[in-house]
Amino acid sequence: MKKNYLFTSESVSEGHPDKVCDRISDMVVDTYLSAEPQSRVACETLTTTNKVVLAGEVRGPEIKKDDLIQKVRDCIKDIGYDQDGFTYKEATKIESHLHAQSSDIAMGVDSSEAKDEGAGDQGIMFGYACNETEVLMPAPIHYSHKILRLMAEDRKSGKLKNIEPDSKSQITIEYKDGKPTNVKSVVISTQHSADVNQSQVRDLVKPYIEKSIPKNLLNNLSEEEIYVNPTGNFVIGGPDGDSGLTGRKIIVDTYGGAAPHGGGAFSGKDPTKVDRSAAYASRYLAKNIVASKISDRCLIQLAYAIGVSKPLSIYVDLFDDDEDKNKHVENLIKKNFDLSPRGIREMLGLNKPIYEKSAAYGHFGRDPGSDGSFSWEKVDKKDIFSK
């Protein structure tokens, strides 16, 4: 690994077209889990100008189509869209094409007297943690999220005016001896009303850079390296400006490119799908390992086969060239954690309607909630590794 380098990560707001889709898909998951915690959901959403389409498969209680469509409108309203090209009102047409889960998939996943519950699909999942920030996330993605999250909070409260829901951020950080030392550039592109010019937009968003990034990282950031709407006007945005799909922001959802990604999206999937649950479990393991202070960084990989309960492999990298310590941590994981789909769900309490709030600003580096949300961010198992 290089010791001196520049690294960049981006984030997108809840009003980005793809994130609108992630939010709606996770709303569908929560709706079914609220009615029946054992529900199965795989929901994809498409958005474009004044149109939303739901597709996928479900197994669980009957949810009236009209009720689901109203919940879609509630999501759009909460995000903040009431524009000519995309609105929560009747001008936006909403279609639901959800259907029953494939019996072939159900047969492979369901448990029986002779078989434990299997993984909902094959795949590899990665978890990562590092001590660059207090939440044990890489600095570029953490601060990129924070800028947009604070902007959204103030926009919704009315404190930030003339800024619309669709936004993106990008931060480049200089690393020296492997540690983040200086922010080299910040890019913020945000949708805005027609009532403000680009100079005014710049004045509106610049304070959020200082609110989000520690002062010691901003000491050498020049005015010329702050790019706000570098292409110019950004009035037409959201699904009216660009179509959106569930699952197209998987690097934004995870570690901003600072760690490998298995390729599976999270949103729209119930927790029997290891794309979601095992990615949460691997983050949980990595974060507790780094929190134990036995390593500054940790990467975990888990691999699964559809219909098979136990992971096919567990890979640990502590980035310190100590093979014995890596093997020791791997053995601790095998001894202390049930990483079957059922074991993960029980360990992290995942059969709850906790996913809609995870759809924007990252699934990791968040505060665990009293409702069980972001349970994979707890560091309640660090003593296992520190011993």
Side-chain angles (χ1 to χ4, degrees), residues 16-221:
H16 185 281
D18 295 331
K19 279 292 147 199
V20 173
C21 294
D22 286 345
R23 166 78 177 267
I24 292 170
S25 293
D26 275 336
M27 175 277 294
V28 174
V29 174
D30 283 356
T31 298
Y32 276 89
L33 292 179
S34 294
E36 170 50 63
Q38 303 302 320
S39 294
R40 304 282 171 81
V41 181
C43 175
E44 312 291 344
T45 302
L46 161 73
T47 60
T48 186
T49 302
N50 280 336
K51 196 172 190 66
V52 177
V53 180
L54 307 183
E57 55 181 33
V58 297
R59 191 178 82 186
E62 182 178 351
I63 306 293
K64 292 182 180 178
K65 183 179 288 190
D66 288 347
D67 292 343
L68 206 57
I69 287 174
Q70 182 56 51
K71 286 177 176 289
V72 172
R73 296 194 188 281
D74 293 342
C75 288
I76 297 169
K77 184 177 181 179
D78 182 69
I79 291 169
Y81 278 116
D82 186 14
Q83 302 167 1
D84 289 342
F86 196 67
T87 175
Y88 66 92
K89 297 175 182 174
E90 294 297 324
T92 292
K93 305 304 178 186
I94 301 172
E95 301 175 12
S96 177
H97 301 280
L98 297 171
H99 59 83
Q101 183 188 48
S102 160
S103 58
D104 289 346
I105 292 177
M107 179 177 63
V109 175
D110 290 348
S111 59
S112 65
E113 291 184 5
K115 171 182 172 295
D116 193 9
E117 178 186 299
D121 202 352
Q122 71 175 49
I124 55 175
M125 298 83 206
F126 287 95
Y128 181 72
C130 61
N131 60 6
E132 294 178 15
T133 60
E134 61 183 13
V135 294
L136 305 185
M137 284 289 287
I141 187 65
H142 176 64
Y143 299 128
S144 294
H145 285 322
K146 192 172 182 180
I147 288 173
L148 299 184
R149 181 171 50 80
L150 294 180
M151 286 174 58
E153 289 173 0
D154 285 355
R155 173 178 58 80
K156 290 181 174 183
S157 71
K159 184 177 179 180
L160 178 61
K161 301 183 184 303
N162 292 308
I163 296 299
E164 301 294 340
D166 191 359
S167 302
K168 301 178 78 171
S169 63
Q170 183 172 285
I171 295 178
T172 299
I173 293 182
E174 180 181 21
Y175 285 72
K176 293 182 178 179
D177 293 325
K179 301 294 182 182
T181 57
N182 292 296
V183 172
K184 298 294 289 184
S185 67
V186 177
V187 183
I188 301 176
S189 295
T190 183
Q191 185 186 16
H192 57 86
S193 74
D195 298 328
V196 290
N197 60 37
Q198 293 309 306
S199 176
Q200 291 170 314
V201 172
R202 185 181 182 90
D203 291 339
L204 287 171
V205 304
K206 272 186 60 181
Y208 292 92
I209 298 173
E210 296 181 357
K211 290 179 183 178
S212 303
I213 304 173
K215 290 182 178 179
N216 64 296
L217 295 179
L218 292 174
N219 290 334
N220 297 319
L221 180 63

